[in-house]
Amino acid sequence: MPMRRLKPPAAPAGVIACAIACVIAFAACSSSAKSAARKDVTITACTSSPTGGHPTATGSIVNHSSKASLYTIHVKFTDSSGNGVGDGVAAVAKVDPGTSATWHANGTLNAKGPLTCKLSSVTRNAVPTA
């Protein structure tokens, strides 16, 4: 007896429309939240190692949100020719609303000479309350 293949049932149009709307809404919330978090963070210094070691970026955070937040900061290091010379990541576990904190990130690669540091991304997540 030959085997019949069954087709999976088609998803109702309403389910598909709802899924698309959720993805669009999530993307819009996510990008505006990232933009707000980025405005909280500044780079105050970008330093190369005189001996060609790992560069360092330092900066400050001012939490403009209404909740204590965890910040994750990703920095890109670039040499004077515009070549990428590594990345750095910093995490600050808790910044209360309306307060400030400092951060510092070490680059992943050795670099010598003048450097530029640029914020690649900033995420801010509310710290759970106990």
Side-chain angles (χ1 to χ4, degrees):
M1 171 181 245
M3 295 192 66
R4 271 184 40 200
R5 291 193 176 176
L6 300 176
K7 291 184 181 179
V15 171
I16 293 171
C18 182
I20 291 171
C22 288
V23 168
I24 291 170
F26 179 73
C29 289
S30 176
S31 65
S32 66
K34 286 180 182 178
S35 175
R38 185 179 283 250
K39 291 177 184 176
D40 289 355
V41 176
T42 57
I43 295 174
T44 57
C46 180
T47 316
S48 61
S49 168
T51 60
H54 295 267
T56 301
T58 57
S60 62
I61 301 166
V62 177
N63 184 352
H64 292 103
S65 76
S66 61
K67 297 180 179 176
S69 300
L70 159 72
Y71 285 82
T72 305
I73 301 155
H74 178 203
V75 179
K76 293 259 184 200
F77 294 94
T78 312
D79 68 14
S80 58
S81 299
N83 300 311
V85 290
D87 299 272
V89 176
V92 179
K94 183 179 179 187
V95 183
D96 289 320
T99 65
S100 62
T102 58
W103 58 269
H104 129 247
N106 290 324
T108 53
L109 301 174
N110 292 334
K112 198 172 188 179
L115 294 175
T116 303
C117 298
K118 183 178 178 184
L119 290 175
S120 177
S121 66
V122 176
T123 58
R124 177 179 65 201
N125 296 300
V127 175
T129 56

